[in-house]
Amino acid sequence: MTPLRLGYLYGLGAYLLWGFFPLYLRLLRPAGPLEILAHRIVWSVVFVALLLAALRNVGFLRALLRRPWALAGIVAASALIAVNWGTYIYGVNSDRVVETALGYFINPLVVVLLGVTVLRERLRRAQWLALGIGASAVVVLTLDYGRLPWLALTLAFSFAGYGLVKKRLGLPAAEGLFVESAVLALPALGYLAWLTRRAESTFGHVSAGHTALLVLAGAATAIPLLLFAGAANRLPLSSLGMVQYLAPILQLGCGVLIFHEPMPPARLAGFALVWLALVVFTADAVRQSRRTRANNRTAASQTPVPTA
């Protein structure tokens, strides 16, 4: 199997798992969002630690301790991913799966916005147009909801910020997830101990299946992330960018078709604007990628061949 085909399989696997993740989270009721988040953090540490031990890859911790700036970045990344996970769990278990899907639809646009405001990048006209359409969509959805879609915006900005910090850190997927979860593990364990002391913990008190599902939250977190890393290492950025829309499409389907959340005409119009913005954004990204490859081929063909 070629690396490109393997990359597509990894990418499809990651986004299929993320797309159907709301179904898994619903199975964790009656645990509350914070309890689910705490278990997700703790069991992620356990799962990835076992994986790294099996791969005999624990030496990276010593090198990491010699990089104080990297440790500060990991703390920031941990805080952002905790906000993202917690918001997503809350959204799914409060019957707002459609709004969580919106957050991941607009995430690419927020990434571009952060590129302008944080990295001082210059945008092409098509990217500005996509941002303008996306802003219009937020206005329409605000009017429909009667409030700012804060849950979707929190998901989009927290995940975009997390990606920005991760890009600066440059840690591999498994090692990065382990360190980030380890930073959060102590407060997560403290919260679970507090719940147990108050006799409010559902762990071990609902059913054996419920307890097993809470434990498996670590694997459910790590596996799609590792598949995504495998895809990112094998696919062009433009191809990976198009595959990423599979997850929010499936999440939207879960919200509307399985959980029967409302989709009135005004909300549908807001989503249509978001999709139009993504079409403009993706078409520009594909065009720019092809132009770059063509320029590289032209430069390579014009390079003089050394003679003996």
Side-chain angles (χ1 to χ4, degrees), residues 50-100:
L50 292 173
L51 178 64
L52 292 175
L55 297 175
R56 301 178 184 275
N57 188 15
V58 293
F60 78 95
L61 286 172
R62 289 192 295 270
L64 190 60
L65 291 174
R66 294 194 290 268
R67 299 163 59 194
W69 65 269
L71 293 176
I74 287 168
V75 171
S78 301
L80 287 167
I81 201 61
V83 169
N84 184 268
W85 286 354
T87 304
Y88 185 75
I89 294 167
Y90 170 77
V92 170
N93 283 345
S94 60
D95 302 318
R96 294 164 69 179
V97 176
V98 169
E99 192 174 345
T100 66

Side-chain angles (χ1 to χ4, degrees), residues 175-208:
E175 289 83 346
L177 179 61
F178 173 78
V179 178
E180 290 154 14
S181 299
V183 168
L184 300 169
L186 190 59
L189 283 170
Y191 178 73
L192 292 176
W194 180 77
L195 281 182
T196 302
R197 185 175 179 181
R198 291 172 57 90
E200 295 178 1
S201 173
T202 64
F203 187 77
H205 298 289
V206 175
S207 68

Side-chain angles (χ1 to χ4, degrees), residues 190-267:
Y191 178 73
L192 292 176
W194 180 77
L195 281 182
T196 302
R197 185 175 179 181
R198 291 172 57 90
E200 295 178 1
S201 173
T202 64
F203 187 77
H205 298 289
V206 175
S207 68
H210 180 265
T211 300
L213 286 171
L214 284 174
V215 172
L216 289 173
T221 297
I223 290 173
L225 185 64
L226 297 175
L227 290 173
F228 172 78
N233 291 335
R234 293 169 174 83
L235 291 180
L237 188 60
S238 58
S239 299
L240 190 64
M242 286 186 285
V243 176
Q244 75 175 337
Y245 301 133
L246 177 62
I249 288 171
L250 291 174
Q251 291 165 8
L252 179 63
C254 288
V256 175
L257 301 177
I258 298 177
F259 301 137
H260 305 293
E261 294 184 15
M263 180 62 83
R267 193 167 306 168

Side-chain angles (χ1 to χ4, degrees), residues 21-308:
F21 201 53
L23 301 179
Y24 180 85
L25 289 176
R26 284 294 180 91
L27 296 175
L28 301 182
R29 290 175 170 178
L34 286 178
E35 183 180 4
I36 295 172
L37 174 62
H39 278 289
R40 189 176 183 182
I41 291 167
V42 169
W43 296 113
S44 292
V45 173
V46 174
F47 179 84
V48 181
L50 292 173
L51 178 64
L52 292 175
L55 297 175
R56 301 178 184 275
N57 188 15
V58 293
F60 78 95
L61 286 172
R62 289 192 295 270
L64 190 60
L65 291 174
R66 294 194 290 268
R67 299 163 59 194
W69 65 269
L71 293 176
I74 287 168
V75 171
S78 301
L80 287 167
I81 201 61
V83 169
N84 184 268
W85 286 354
T87 304
Y88 185 75
I89 294 167
Y90 170 77
V92 170
N93 283 345
S94 60
D95 302 318
R96 294 164 69 179
V97 176
V98 169
E99 192 174 345
T100 66
L102 173 65
Y104 290 108
F105 273 125
I106 65 176
N107 176 70
L109 303 177
V110 174
V111 171
V112 173
L113 182 62
L114 287 183
V116 175
T117 57
V118 178
L119 302 180
R120 304 297 180 186
E121 295 177 352
R122 297 185 65 180
L123 298 187
R124 297 181 292 275
R125 281 180 294 180
Q127 291 174 313
W128 279 116
L129 177 60
L131 281 178
I133 298 171
S136 302
V138 172
V139 172
V140 171
L141 290 165
T142 298
L143 294 173
D144 171 65
Y145 282 114
R147 56 172 174 78
L148 199 67
W150 65 266
L151 193 147
L153 292 174
T154 301
L155 286 173
F157 276 92
S158 60
F159 198 68
Y162 173 73
L164 178 64
V165 175
K166 290 279 285 184
K167 183 178 179 180
R168 295 290 184 89
L169 290 174
L171 291 176
E175 289 83 346
L177 179 61
F178 173 78
V179 178
E180 290 154 14
S181 299
V183 168
L184 300 169
L186 190 59
L189 283 170
Y191 178 73
L192 292 176
W194 180 77
L195 281 182
T196 302
R197 185 175 179 181
R198 291 172 57 90
E200 295 178 1
S201 173
T202 64
F203 187 77
H205 298 289
V206 175
S207 68
H210 180 265
T211 300
L213 286 171
L214 284 174
V215 172
L216 289 173
T221 297
I223 290 173
L225 185 64
L226 297 175
L227 290 173
F228 172 78
N233 291 335
R234 293 169 174 83
L235 291 180
L237 188 60
S238 58
S239 299
L240 190 64
M242 286 186 285
V243 176
Q244 75 175 337
Y245 301 133
L246 177 62
I249 288 171
L250 291 174
Q251 291 165 8
L252 179 63
C254 288
V256 175
L257 301 177
I258 298 177
F259 301 137
H260 305 293
E261 294 184 15
M263 180 62 83
R267 193 167 306 168
L268 186 59
F271 269 85
L273 284 172
V274 171
W275 296 329
L276 176 60
L278 292 176
V279 168
V280 173
F281 174 77
T282 304
D284 176 72
V286 171
R287 184 168 56 250
Q288 184 65 24
S289 177
R290 288 175 178 172
R291 185 178 301 162
T292 301
R293 288 199 299 268
N295 290 340
N296 289 340
R297 285 196 297 268
T298 301
S301 65
Q302 292 176 350
T303 302
V305 179
T307 57

